[in-house]
Every structure is written in C-alpha cells, then in structure tokens.
Amino acid sequence: MENSSPAPMQELAAPTHAPTVKTYLGISLFWFAISFFWGAMLIIVMPARIEDIVGPANKDGAWALVASVGALLSGLTQIVFGALSDNTTHRMGRRQPYLIGGVLATSVVLLFFPGAQTLGALLGVYIGVQLFLNIANGPYQALMPDMIPPAYHGRASAYMGVCLLLGRIGGAAIAGAMMQSEQGVRNLTWIFIVILNALMIVNVLCLKETPITHSVGVREALKSILTVPLRPYPSFVWLMVSRFGINLGLTTVTFCLLYYVGDTLGQGEQAAKGIVSRFLVLATVAALVGTLPAGYASDRFSKKTVLFVSNGVGIVAGTLFAFAPNVAVAQIAVIIFGVGFGMFAAVDWALACNLLPPGAPAKYLGVWGFSDNIAQMIAPIIAGPLAYSLNQSSPGAGYRLLMGLAVVYFALGTVAIAFIKENPVEPVLETAIGPTTKIY
C-alpha cells in the first residue's frame, strides 16, 4: 500500500492588477443568464405550471415538494462539482470546462420541458435542470475570487448584483407575458436555451483562465467534500447563518408571491401574473439606482454597514407589504424594498469572498450557497402546509401570514451579521502585472 501523501495542490493567487471592464463583464454576464432563468422559473413558470397540472386546491403541497427536492439537489451539486473544479487541471482552466458542459447538458434537458404534462414528468425535468445547471454554476461562481483582487470585490459584486437584478426582472417579466399558452411555454424554453448558451460563450471569450498543472486528484477531491472545516472560520459560519435567514425570507416570498397577489389581494390568476411582473420591474429600477454606488462604497468602507442599512430598508418594506390592504400600497412597499435589495445585491458576493477560507474557493462558495439551498428546502416545507391550512378557513389568509413570517426570517438573518468580523484587504496597485501562482 502506498503510504506517501498526495502531491500538494497548485493554487492560483488572485491577480495583482486592477480588473478591466471586460473582466467584470466576462465574469458577471453569465449571472444575468442564471438570474433570468431562475427568476422566470421560480416566480412565474413553475408555480403556474404546477397549478395547471394539479389544480388550485393542491398547488401549495405540490410546489413545496418540487421546490424542496430541487433545492437539495442544487446545493449538493454545487459543493461536489465546486470541489472537483478546485482540483481540475484542464488546459482551459478549472471552471470553464464545467460551465460549458453544464450549459450544453441543461439545454438538452430543457427541450423536454414543454412536453412535461404530469407532475412526475415536470419533476423529472426540473431535477435534470437543477443537476446540470448547477454543474455549471458551482465552478463558475468561483471565477470572481480566482480573477478579481480582494480590493475590487465590492465593485465586482456590484456588477454581479446588476446582472442579478436585470436577469431576475427580465426573466419574470417575459415569463409573465408568455405563459398564456402552450406555444408561449415552448418559445420561452428556447429563450432560456439561447440566453444560457450565448452568455456562456461570452464568458469563455472574455476570460482566459490560468490552468493548474497538478492537483490532489479526483479521489482526494471527492474525499475533501466530506472534510469541510468551519470551526476555524467563525465569521464565515455567521455569514452562512445570516444568508440562511435572509434567503428563508426571500424564498418564502418567492414561493407564494403569485398566489398572494392573486388570492390575498384579490386580483385573480391572470391579473396576478401581470401585476407581479410590474412589481418586479419597479423593484429592479429602484434597486439599480444604488447597486453600483453601494458596491464601490463597500470597497472603501465596511461591507457589514452596507448590509445593515440594506436589510433595515428591506425589513420596513417587507412589513408594509405583508399588511398591504391593496395593490397600490403593496406597490409602494415593493419600490422601497427594491432600494434595499439593490444595496444587498451589491455587497453579498463581496463579503462572501472576503470571508472565504483559503485553498478551495469553489467548494466553500458551494457550502456558502448551500445555506441558501437549505432555506429553499425548508421554506416551502413550512409555507406549503401553513398556507393550505389557513386558506381552508379564510382564503388568502395563509399567504399574508407567510409574508409576515418572511419578515421575521429576514430580521433574524440581519441580526447574525453583527457577529461577522471582516478580513483586512490589502490595496492593489494599478499595474499591468498579471496573475501570480503560489504552491500549497
């Protein structure tokens, strides 16, 4: 038996030069594709298709089941393939081979989406999409710490935030307009495929990864998934706790937003799709005003402070939305929330990259993201039965309660931020020096 330890993994240091706009866009534009896709699927497409298949009386439980299974698979896939990518020696680099393969496989699975006319078939396609798109997404999200110096993480996160906001609103708005017919579902599916592939190609053309020449190997990489030391990194753990609470609130809202507008605010199914699309447009416009300034500010000042302010605005807006008596008041709340969420989107990634444990960025970003996935699993399990039971006695009351519960989750996630200690960041010279390599 071989007793010698494996060769040390070669780890690429972050570049020592200021990023160009091309680098920022190369990294962030695929996030638009991801956000466009999930903004449409989670807010409009899946809730509407599930209601069409199982009927209004069973939609809560069915959507809770599908959403929870998808979230679990998403989180596990990101961790596994993130860890594999950290140790990949492909000549294209560590991340882009997974990005290309995952997007192409997702495109094939999406071809079956319009024809999925039973809950089982829809779940099968949804599982396939979650698997393959997260094979791409897990490694992809580590491109930011790979290629952006820490002193510029706030600006890079702001670019990601803008793409997140534009993608989420674009996906939901287009889905709301097209989900009126079976042909609309087919056309929307092709839009998904084109956007995912086009922006994957943009990423490959704009960015050139520096490959590593040796690693610990696939077996050791898979074994490392079972070894994720967190005790030495308490601030990273508190960041995960915070993200869990915040996303528990956001997922609860996403889960029932269409039903809240349609049933609780009394707008009906068809009207609700248009109103939700309008809400998302207003929230995005409000968010875009502050996203880039907040990102730049977070590179100069405390990222925690920006998050406290953003979440405080969100809590106020969420409370107003939960108790809104009509669409007009809800619309005001949506605009206020957009301002806070824009600031949050600008700093979220930057703080995560600031607190990353060393050595395996994609794996730990997968672990960080898994706190989001756990929230996506738990929120529907709580929300579905709770909404169903309350709606039996008072139609629509369950969704109002869920909106109030989302505010509580959001507030608890905000409290956790207080326990985070940011790492100091060294300034970067505005030079043309390229990436350096170091050996662990």
Side-chain angles (χ1 to χ4, degrees), residues 186-231:
R186 293 190 183 94
N187 292 340
L188 186 61
T189 299
W190 280 109
I191 290 174
F192 289 152
I193 292 172
V194 169
I195 290 178
L196 286 168
N197 282 274
L199 294 183
M200 174 267 287
I201 292 171
V202 169
N203 179 281
V204 173
L205 293 177
C206 287
L207 302 177
K208 182 174 176 59
E209 289 190 75
T210 302
I212 59 175
T213 56
H214 66 268
S215 70
V216 298
V218 174
R219 178 183 293 183
E220 292 298 322
L222 290 174
K223 285 172 61 177
S224 75
I225 298 169
L226 303 177
T227 306
V228 185
L230 293 173
R231 187 182 295 271

Side-chain angles (χ1 to χ4, degrees), residues 89-112:
T89 57
H90 195 278
R91 60 184 178 80
M92 285 188 65
R94 297 189 292 178
R95 319 301 181 190
Q96 289 178 334
Y98 295 92
L99 176 63
I100 296 169
V103 169
L104 293 177
T106 301
S107 302
V108 174
V109 174
L110 279 173
L111 295 175
F112 297 93

Side-chain angles (χ1 to χ4, degrees), residues 261 265-267 275 278-279 321 324-334:
V261 175
L265 298 182
Q267 301 303 303
I275 293 170
R278 185 170 79 243
F279 280 179
F321 190 77
N326 52 50
V327 171
V329 175
Q331 186 168 282
I332 295 172
V334 163

Side-chain angles (χ1 to χ4, degrees), residues 70-277:
L72 175 62
L73 185 60
S74 169
L76 293 177
T77 303
Q78 287 191 37
I79 294 174
V80 170
F81 285 88
L84 287 174
S85 74
D86 285 330
N87 295 275
T88 293
T89 57
H90 195 278
R91 60 184 178 80
M92 285 188 65
R94 297 189 292 178
R95 319 301 181 190
Q96 289 178 334
Y98 295 92
L99 176 63
I100 296 169
V103 169
L104 293 177
T106 301
S107 302
V108 174
V109 174
L110 279 173
L111 295 175
F112 297 93
F113 183 71
Q117 300 298 325
T118 67
L119 185 61
L122 190 64
L123 177 61
V125 173
Y126 191 68
I127 286 175
V129 168
Q130 286 280 14
L131 172 64
F132 292 118
L133 194 51
N134 282 291
I135 287 175
N137 190 34
Y140 154 74
Q141 61 190 359
L143 282 172
M144 185 169 128
D146 279 356
M147 306 190 78
I148 303 292
Y152 291 87
H153 280 174
R155 272 161 272 197
S157 182
Y159 275 86
M160 299 283 279
V162 169
C163 289
L164 165 71
L165 295 168
L166 292 176
R168 183 168 294 183
I169 178 55
I174 291 177
M178 299 184 69
M179 284 289 293
Q180 309 297 327
S181 66
E182 192 63 33
Q183 185 60 42
V185 175
R186 293 190 183 94
N187 292 340
L188 186 61
T189 299
W190 280 109
I191 290 174
F192 289 152
I193 292 172
V194 169
I195 290 178
L196 286 168
N197 282 274
L199 294 183
M200 174 267 287
I201 292 171
V202 169
N203 179 281
V204 173
L205 293 177
C206 287
L207 302 177
K208 182 174 176 59
E209 289 190 75
T210 302
I212 59 175
T213 56
H214 66 268
S215 70
V216 298
V218 174
R219 178 183 293 183
E220 292 298 322
L222 290 174
K223 285 172 61 177
S224 75
I225 298 169
L226 303 177
T227 306
V228 185
L230 293 173
R231 187 182 295 271
Y233 313 106
S235 289
F236 185 74
V237 173
W238 279 113
L239 178 68
M240 293 171 58
V241 172
S242 172
R243 184 173 175 83
F244 170 75
I246 291 168
N247 281 288
L248 201 61
L250 293 175
T251 302
T252 300
V253 173
T254 300
F255 174 82
C256 67
L257 181 59
L258 186 65
Y259 305 152
Y260 177 74
V261 175
D263 296 351
T264 309
L265 298 182
Q267 301 303 303
E269 179 186 351
Q270 294 304 317
K273 293 176 182 178
I275 293 170
V276 168
S277 296

Side-chain angles (χ1 to χ4, degrees), residues 19-60:
T20 65
V21 172
K22 179 181 177 181
T23 303
Y24 285 132
L25 292 177
I27 289 175
S28 61
L29 281 176
F30 187 71
W31 200 240
F32 171 87
I34 292 285
S35 302
F36 182 96
F37 180 82
W38 289 119
M41 289 291 283
L42 298 180
I43 297 176
I44 300 291
V45 178
M46 289 299 293
R49 292 211 68 189
I50 284 176
E51 184 170 4
D52 290 341
I53 290 172
V54 304
N58 299 310
K59 64 186 180 184
D60 298 317

